[in-house]
mmCIF file of all heavy atoms in Angstrom:
data_model
loop_
_atom_site.group_PDB
_atom_site.id
_atom_site.type_symbol
_atom_site.label_atom_id
_atom_site.label_comp_id
_atom_site.label_asym_id
_atom_site.label_seq_id
_atom_site.Cartn_x
_atom_site.Cartn_y
_atom_site.Cartn_z
ATOM 1 N N PHE B 256 20.141 -9.057 12.979
ATOM 2 C CA PHE B 256 20.235 -7.882 13.854
ATOM 3 C C PHE B 256 19.900 -8.249 15.297
ATOM 4 O O PHE B 256 18.909 -8.931 15.550
ATOM 5 C CB PHE B 256 19.291 -6.775 13.355
ATOM 6 C CG PHE B 256 19.576 -6.344 11.948
ATOM 7 C CD1 PHE B 256 18.902 -6.907 10.879
ATOM 8 C CD2 PHE B 256 20.536 -5.382 11.692
ATOM 9 C CE1 PHE B 256 19.184 -6.513 9.575
ATOM 10 C CE2 PHE B 256 20.816 -4.973 10.396
ATOM 11 C CZ PHE B 256 20.143 -5.550 9.335
ATOM 12 N N THR B 257 20.742 -7.794 16.224
ATOM 13 C CA THR B 257 20.549 -8.065 17.641
ATOM 14 C C THR B 257 20.694 -6.764 18.426
ATOM 15 O O THR B 257 21.618 -5.987 18.181
ATOM 16 C CB THR B 257 21.589 -9.073 18.159
ATOM 17 O OG1 THR B 257 21.434 -10.315 17.458
ATOM 18 C CG2 THR B 257 21.420 -9.314 19.656
ATOM 19 N N ILE B 258 19.764 -6.538 19.340
ATOM 20 C CA ILE B 258 19.906 -5.439 20.302
ATOM 21 C C ILE B 258 20.279 -6.054 21.638
ATOM 22 O O ILE B 258 19.625 -6.994 22.112
ATOM 23 C CB ILE B 258 18.605 -4.645 20.490
ATOM 24 C CG1 ILE B 258 18.129 -4.004 19.199
ATOM 25 C CG2 ILE B 258 18.799 -3.568 21.547
ATOM 26 C CD1 ILE B 258 16.817 -3.228 19.375
ATOM 27 N N SER B 259 21.322 -5.478 22.260
ATOM 28 C CA SER B 259 21.652 -5.815 23.637
ATOM 29 C C SER B 259 21.303 -4.613 24.503
ATOM 30 O O SER B 259 21.601 -3.476 24.142
ATOM 31 C CB SER B 259 23.144 -6.120 23.766
ATOM 32 O OG SER B 259 23.474 -7.246 23.000
ATOM 33 N N PHE B 260 20.676 -4.860 25.646
ATOM 34 C CA PHE B 260 20.175 -3.767 26.490
ATOM 35 C C PHE B 260 20.673 -3.950 27.916
ATOM 36 O O PHE B 260 20.531 -5.035 28.501
ATOM 37 C CB PHE B 260 18.645 -3.745 26.450
ATOM 38 C CG PHE B 260 18.038 -2.598 27.190
ATOM 39 C CD1 PHE B 260 17.959 -1.349 26.598
ATOM 40 C CD2 PHE B 260 17.557 -2.753 28.480
ATOM 41 C CE1 PHE B 260 17.410 -0.278 27.279
ATOM 42 C CE2 PHE B 260 17.000 -1.688 29.165
ATOM 43 C CZ PHE B 260 16.925 -0.444 28.556
ATOM 44 N N ASN B 261 21.268 -2.894 28.473
ATOM 45 C CA ASN B 261 21.766 -2.916 29.847
ATOM 46 C C ASN B 261 21.080 -1.791 30.608
ATOM 47 O O ASN B 261 21.485 -0.629 30.522
ATOM 48 C CB ASN B 261 23.288 -2.741 29.867
ATOM 49 C CG ASN B 261 23.878 -2.889 31.256
ATOM 50 O OD1 ASN B 261 23.234 -2.586 32.262
ATOM 51 N ND2 ASN B 261 25.113 -3.366 31.322
ATOM 52 N N LYS B 262 20.030 -2.140 31.337
ATOM 53 C CA LYS B 262 19.218 -1.116 32.001
ATOM 54 C C LYS B 262 20.008 -0.387 33.086
ATOM 55 O O LYS B 262 19.899 0.832 33.226
ATOM 56 C CB LYS B 262 17.968 -1.775 32.606
ATOM 57 C CG LYS B 262 16.969 -0.795 33.187
ATOM 58 C CD LYS B 262 15.713 -1.518 33.643
ATOM 59 C CE LYS B 262 14.701 -0.540 34.213
ATOM 60 N NZ LYS B 262 13.450 -1.247 34.631
ATOM 61 N N SER B 263 20.812 -1.105 33.850
ATOM 62 C CA SER B 263 21.533 -0.469 34.958
ATOM 63 C C SER B 263 22.570 0.535 34.443
ATOM 64 O O SER B 263 22.806 1.580 35.046
ATOM 65 C CB SER B 263 22.206 -1.515 35.846
ATOM 66 O OG SER B 263 23.141 -2.261 35.100
ATOM 67 N N ALA B 264 23.162 0.222 33.296
ATOM 68 C CA ALA B 264 24.158 1.118 32.710
ATOM 69 C C ALA B 264 23.520 2.161 31.797
ATOM 70 O O ALA B 264 24.208 3.071 31.317
ATOM 71 C CB ALA B 264 25.192 0.320 31.922
ATOM 72 N N LYS B 265 22.237 2.027 31.534
ATOM 73 C CA LYS B 265 21.502 2.919 30.617
ATOM 74 C C LYS B 265 22.176 2.945 29.246
ATOM 75 O O LYS B 265 22.465 4.025 28.689
ATOM 76 C CB LYS B 265 21.367 4.323 31.218
ATOM 77 C CG LYS B 265 20.501 4.340 32.477
ATOM 78 C CD LYS B 265 20.210 5.734 32.964
ATOM 79 C CE LYS B 265 21.441 6.371 33.572
ATOM 80 N NZ LYS B 265 21.169 7.691 34.172
ATOM 81 N N GLN B 266 22.453 1.727 28.752
ATOM 82 C CA GLN B 266 23.100 1.602 27.452
ATOM 83 C C GLN B 266 22.413 0.516 26.632
ATOM 84 O O GLN B 266 21.882 -0.462 27.186
ATOM 85 C CB GLN B 266 24.581 1.245 27.625
ATOM 86 C CG GLN B 266 25.402 2.338 28.300
ATOM 87 C CD GLN B 266 26.843 1.907 28.532
ATOM 88 O OE1 GLN B 266 27.199 0.747 28.408
ATOM 89 N NE2 GLN B 266 27.690 2.879 28.870
ATOM 90 N N PHE B 267 22.450 0.674 25.316
ATOM 91 C CA PHE B 267 21.974 -0.380 24.434
ATOM 92 C C PHE B 267 22.781 -0.333 23.141
ATOM 93 O O PHE B 267 23.355 0.708 22.800
ATOM 94 C CB PHE B 267 20.469 -0.299 24.179
ATOM 95 C CG PHE B 267 19.974 0.994 23.585
ATOM 96 C CD1 PHE B 267 19.504 1.027 22.278
ATOM 97 C CD2 PHE B 267 19.919 2.168 24.324
ATOM 98 C CE1 PHE B 267 19.017 2.201 21.724
ATOM 99 C CE2 PHE B 267 19.438 3.349 23.783
ATOM 100 C CZ PHE B 267 18.984 3.369 22.480
ATOM 101 N N SER B 268 22.873 -1.477 22.495
ATOM 102 C CA SER B 268 23.722 -1.546 21.320
ATOM 103 C C SER B 268 23.082 -2.406 20.239
ATOM 104 O O SER B 268 22.235 -3.259 20.525
ATOM 105 C CB SER B 268 25.100 -2.099 21.681
ATOM 106 O OG SER B 268 24.983 -3.394 22.220
ATOM 107 N N LEU B 269 23.507 -2.150 19.014
ATOM 108 C CA LEU B 269 23.051 -2.900 17.842
ATOM 109 C C LEU B 269 24.232 -3.690 17.287
ATOM 110 O O LEU B 269 25.312 -3.127 17.083
ATOM 111 C CB LEU B 269 22.506 -1.955 16.776
ATOM 112 C CG LEU B 269 22.083 -2.596 15.452
ATOM 113 C CD1 LEU B 269 20.813 -3.426 15.646
ATOM 114 C CD2 LEU B 269 21.869 -1.535 14.368
ATOM 115 N N HIS B 270 24.021 -4.979 17.071
ATOM 116 C CA HIS B 270 25.019 -5.835 16.451
ATOM 117 C C HIS B 270 24.436 -6.329 15.122
ATOM 118 O O HIS B 270 23.275 -6.772 15.096
ATOM 119 C CB HIS B 270 25.332 -7.052 17.323
ATOM 120 C CG HIS B 270 25.825 -6.719 18.684
ATOM 121 N ND1 HIS B 270 26.970 -7.272 19.225
ATOM 122 C CD2 HIS B 270 25.358 -5.890 19.653
ATOM 123 C CE1 HIS B 270 27.165 -6.807 20.438
ATOM 124 N NE2 HIS B 270 26.194 -5.974 20.734
ATOM 125 N N ILE B 271 25.254 -6.290 14.073
ATOM 126 C CA ILE B 271 24.810 -6.804 12.775
ATOM 127 C C ILE B 271 25.695 -7.992 12.431
ATOM 128 O O ILE B 271 26.892 -7.838 12.159
ATOM 129 C CB ILE B 271 24.902 -5.733 11.673
ATOM 130 C CG1 ILE B 271 24.124 -4.469 12.096
ATOM 131 C CG2 ILE B 271 24.354 -6.277 10.357
ATOM 132 C CD1 ILE B 271 24.239 -3.316 11.109
ATOM 133 N N MET B 272 25.119 -9.177 12.455
ATOM 134 C CA MET B 272 25.872 -10.391 12.168
ATOM 135 C C MET B 272 26.052 -10.547 10.658
ATOM 136 O O MET B 272 25.176 -10.151 9.871
ATOM 137 C CB MET B 272 25.130 -11.605 12.725
ATOM 138 C CG MET B 272 24.731 -11.491 14.188
ATOM 139 S SD MET B 272 26.130 -11.228 15.285
ATOM 140 C CE MET B 272 26.872 -12.867 15.206
ATOM 141 N N ASP B 273 27.192 -11.130 10.270
ATOM 142 C CA ASP B 273 27.440 -11.439 8.856
ATOM 143 C C ASP B 273 27.067 -10.241 7.968
ATOM 144 O O ASP B 273 26.242 -10.351 7.056
ATOM 145 C CB ASP B 273 26.632 -12.673 8.447
ATOM 146 C CG ASP B 273 26.976 -13.165 7.049
ATOM 147 O OD1 ASP B 273 28.110 -12.922 6.598
ATOM 148 O OD2 ASP B 273 26.089 -13.759 6.399
ATOM 149 N N SER B 274 27.665 -9.088 8.242
ATOM 150 C CA SER B 274 27.273 -7.869 7.536
ATOM 151 C C SER B 274 27.537 -7.985 6.029
ATOM 152 O O SER B 274 28.474 -8.671 5.586
ATOM 153 C CB SER B 274 28.008 -6.669 8.115
ATOM 154 O OG SER B 274 29.403 -6.833 8.037
ATOM 155 N N GLN B 275 26.688 -7.325 5.272
ATOM 156 C CA GLN B 275 26.709 -7.347 3.815
ATOM 157 C C GLN B 275 26.842 -5.924 3.267
ATOM 158 O O GLN B 275 26.425 -4.975 3.945
ATOM 159 C CB GLN B 275 25.431 -7.984 3.283
ATOM 160 C CG GLN B 275 25.186 -9.398 3.774
ATOM 161 C CD GLN B 275 26.258 -10.362 3.282
ATOM 162 O OE1 GLN B 275 26.620 -10.372 2.098
ATOM 163 N NE2 GLN B 275 26.790 -11.174 4.196
ATOM 164 N N PRO B 276 27.364 -5.770 2.050
ATOM 165 C CA PRO B 276 27.449 -4.423 1.467
ATOM 166 C C PRO B 276 26.103 -3.696 1.437
ATOM 167 O O PRO B 276 26.042 -2.476 1.583
ATOM 168 C CB PRO B 276 27.993 -4.686 0.058
ATOM 169 C CG PRO B 276 28.820 -5.928 0.208
ATOM 170 C CD PRO B 276 28.072 -6.771 1.219
ATOM 171 N N GLY B 277 25.022 -4.444 1.289
ATOM 172 C CA GLY B 277 23.687 -3.847 1.287
ATOM 173 C C GLY B 277 23.265 -3.274 2.639
ATOM 174 O O GLY B 277 22.267 -2.556 2.722
ATOM 175 N N ASP B 278 24.025 -3.585 3.688
ATOM 176 C CA ASP B 278 23.747 -3.018 5.016
ATOM 177 C C ASP B 278 24.341 -1.621 5.159
ATOM 178 O O ASP B 278 24.108 -0.950 6.177
ATOM 179 C CB ASP B 278 24.338 -3.912 6.117
ATOM 180 C CG ASP B 278 23.704 -5.288 6.166
ATOM 181 O OD1 ASP B 278 22.508 -5.413 5.822
ATOM 182 O OD2 ASP B 278 24.412 -6.248 6.546
#
Side-chain angles (χ1 to χ4, degrees):
Chain B
F256 302 94
T257 298
I258 299 179
S259 297
F260 185 81
N261 186 330
K262 186 175 181 179
S263 61
K265 295 188 288 185
Q266 295 176 348
F267 58 111
S268 60
L269 176 70
H270 302 230
I271 305 176
M272 308 302 288
D273 188 27
S274 58
Q275 302 296 313
D278 296 329

